[in-house]
Amino acid sequence: MAGIPIGKGTLLAPTPVVMVSCARPGAAANIITLAWAGTVCSDPPMLSISVRPERYSHDIIAETGEFVVNLVSRELLKACDYCGVKSGRDMDKFAACHLTQEAVPVLDHAPAVAQSPLYLACRVNKRLDLGSHTMFLADIIEAYATPRLMDDTGKLDLYRADLVAYSHGEYTALTNPIGFFGFSVASPAVLERRMAILNKGHTKGK
Amino acid sequence: MAGIPIGKGTLLAPTPVVMVSCARPGAAANIITLAWAGTVCSDPPMLSISVRPERYSHDIIAETGEFVVNLVSRELLKACDYCGVKSGRDMDKFAACHLTQEAVPVLDHAPAVAQSPLYLACRVNKRLDLGSHTMFLADIIEAYATPRLMDDTGKLDLYRADLVAYSHGEYTALTNPIGFFGFSVASPAVLERRMAILNKGHTKGK
């Protein structure tokens, strides 16, 4: 194609959409929904989240240096959206969304969202003030998964989490897998075996 | 749930999967496929990509300070995977994948992948050496979209790009939209109107 210039928007897509939970000691925990999040390093495992300074969670994360990234299943989507448009200054979002706090052993304050299929306990490593958003670079201290995500061999099958993605103002779910890393160069035997598993699909849901 | 600790992996999902193109002056352009990428700031529009120092594209991006993030449609997935497992040290990936270079007016060297439905011209703003990966923080200078992504009113309908996501070693496509930002608090009238559009779906493909 000859691409048409359409301005300098934030059009990287799809992005994850995650519910980030955090808490000051002695105060009600909060949840903020973010799509500006990504893995940034494999070893050590690190991710980044970007938060507007005017958001209620911003200073909680800046002060405590910790947060939990809760992945979002289709079942959680309405609560996820709600936590993205409402402020923790005005309400207890855990209560408003009927969500349960789960203590995270490796963190001091931030609880996880118990209903999330998989969550990542994070400690802030570095902060960059970029403009409209503060980027918090964080070490992933530990990941926690609900047992139903494990297959018969005890291996994590993340497809079972029925995760949601975000793309230009809309939420979508994910189709059955359509390929695997390295499929373009796999031997015919490997390709056949792996694609049979993918075409059969994993099992979504509980 | 009571989450089971499963180690400290890079399990944020789904992530985008993008083909990043770059070029040294006078040398063949290269493409590297990355899933460690994310939007990090809205104003100014910025994104980050993380690249292992041993990858061929790493020094090209470090030296030229520019690259193009090409979004990946389902049609491009096989080439995308191939560019993730092969090295530009050994081959011309544009030629090997039958892809076309598109000059990007706002950049000096890096061409776009003409077959990508939407691409973002980026200039490196900051570099962070995090361990296994170097994070390049970049300003999004301009976005370019193929005309077929525009709806009848001239508005970008990114759903038409039929984008691919990455989740724990597998590629997936996106379902029809299942919600929009703010749907959880929309008035009944707005909800009905918007969801009717989403349920009808957009038009994928050319």
Side-chain angles (χ1 to χ4, degrees):
Chain A
M1 74 164 190
I4 309 165
I6 57 169
K8 48 177 185 171
T10 48
L11 288 165
L12 175 58
T15 69
V17 54
V18 294
M19 296 167 80
V20 172
S21 45
C22 56
R24 279 199 187 87
N30 193 41
I31 303 169
I32 180 172
T33 294
L34 300 174
W36 292 176
T39 301
V40 297
C41 190
S42 298
D43 185 17
M46 296 179 70
L47 56 77
S48 82
I49 60 168
S50 288
V51 187
R52 289 181 186 269
E54 58 269 30
R55 295 298 297 264
Y56 180 61
S57 293
H58 181 278
D59 291 356
I60 301 176
I61 294 169
E63 287 166 33
T64 61
E66 53 171 60
F67 59 86
V68 181
V69 170
N70 302 275
L71 302 192
V72 175
S73 61
R74 205 188 309 218
E75 215 172 272
L76 270 174
L77 182 59
K78 195 168 179 183
C80 166
D81 182 67
Y82 189 83
C83 291
V85 293
K86 292 288 183 180
S87 174
R89 284 191 190 90
D90 309 320
M91 65 174 64
D92 176 339
K93 292 186 192 173
F94 273 96
C97 297
H98 309 290
L99 296 173
T100 316
Q101 296 183 31
E102 179 92 11
V104 179
V106 297
L107 296 181
D108 295 324
H109 311 298
V113 176
Q115 285 79 3
S116 166
L118 190 149
Y119 49 81
L120 305 166
C122 300
R123 267 193 202 285
V124 176
N125 177 307
K126 194 182 199 54
R127 167 192 172 154
L128 290 176
D129 298 292
L130 299 177
S132 62
H133 288 70
T134 302
M135 183 175 71
F136 294 104
L137 274 166
D139 291 307
I140 302 167
I141 306 297
E142 184 72 58
Y144 299 84
T146 181
R148 69 175 169 80
L149 299 189
M150 303 302 164
D151 68 17
D152 295 343
T153 67
K155 198 169 146 263
L156 175 68
D157 180 2
L158 196 51
Y159 179 74
R160 298 184 184 196
D162 198 9
L163 298 177
V164 171
Y166 187 71
S167 180
H168 200 232
E170 295 174 353
Y171 306 104
T172 78
L174 307 179
T175 65
N176 265 3
I178 55 172
F180 56 90
F181 180 70
F183 82 96
S184 66
V185 297
S187 70
V190 169
L191 193 62
E192 191 180 347
R193 180 171 55 76
R194 294 283 307 269
M195 289 309 290
I197 297 172
L198 298 187
N199 286 330
K200 192 176 135 203
H202 313 264
T203 314
K204 279 192 189 183
K206 284 173 201 170
Chain B
M1 73 165 190
I4 309 165
I6 56 168
K8 48 177 185 171
T10 48
L11 288 164
L12 174 59
T15 68
V17 54
V18 293
M19 296 166 81
V20 172
S21 45
C22 56
R24 281 199 184 89
N30 193 39
I31 304 169
I32 180 172
T33 294
L34 300 174
W36 293 177
T39 301
V40 297
C41 189
S42 297
D43 185 17
M46 293 178 72
L47 56 77
S48 81
I49 59 169
S50 289
V51 186
R52 290 182 185 268
E54 58 269 30
R55 296 297 296 264
Y56 180 61
S57 293
H58 181 278
D59 291 356
I60 302 176
I61 294 168
E63 287 166 33
T64 62
E66 54 171 60
F67 58 87
V68 180
V69 170
N70 302 275
L71 302 192
V72 174
S73 61
R74 203 187 309 218
E75 215 172 272
L76 271 174
L77 181 59
K78 194 168 179 185
C80 166
D81 182 67
Y82 190 84
C83 291
V85 292
K86 291 289 184 178
S87 173
R89 284 190 190 91
D90 309 319
M91 64 175 64
D92 176 338
K93 291 186 191 171
F94 273 97
C97 297
H98 308 290
L99 297 172
T100 316
Q101 296 183 31
E102 180 92 11
V104 179
V106 297
L107 297 181
D108 295 324
H109 312 299
V113 176
Q115 285 79 2
S116 166
L118 189 149
Y119 47 82
L120 305 165
C122 301
R123 266 194 200 284
V124 176
N125 179 305
K126 196 181 199 53
R127 167 191 172 153
L128 290 175
D129 298 292
L130 299 177
S132 62
H133 288 70
T134 302
M135 184 174 69
F136 294 103
L137 275 165
D139 292 306
I140 301 167
I141 306 296
E142 183 72 59
Y144 299 84
T146 182
R148 70 177 168 80
L149 298 189
M150 303 302 165
D151 69 15
D152 294 344
T153 67
K155 198 170 146 263
L156 175 68
D157 180 3
L158 197 50
Y159 179 75
R160 297 184 184 196
D162 197 10
L163 298 178
V164 171
Y166 187 72
S167 181
H168 199 232
E170 294 175 352
Y171 306 104
T172 78
L174 307 178
T175 65
N176 265 2
I178 55 172
F180 55 90
F181 180 71
F183 81 95
S184 66
V185 297
S187 69
V190 168
L191 193 62
E192 191 179 348
R193 180 171 55 77
R194 292 284 305 270
M195 289 309 289
I197 297 172
L198 297 188
N199 287 329
K200 193 175 134 203
H202 311 263
T203 313
K204 278 191 188 183
K206 285 173 199 170

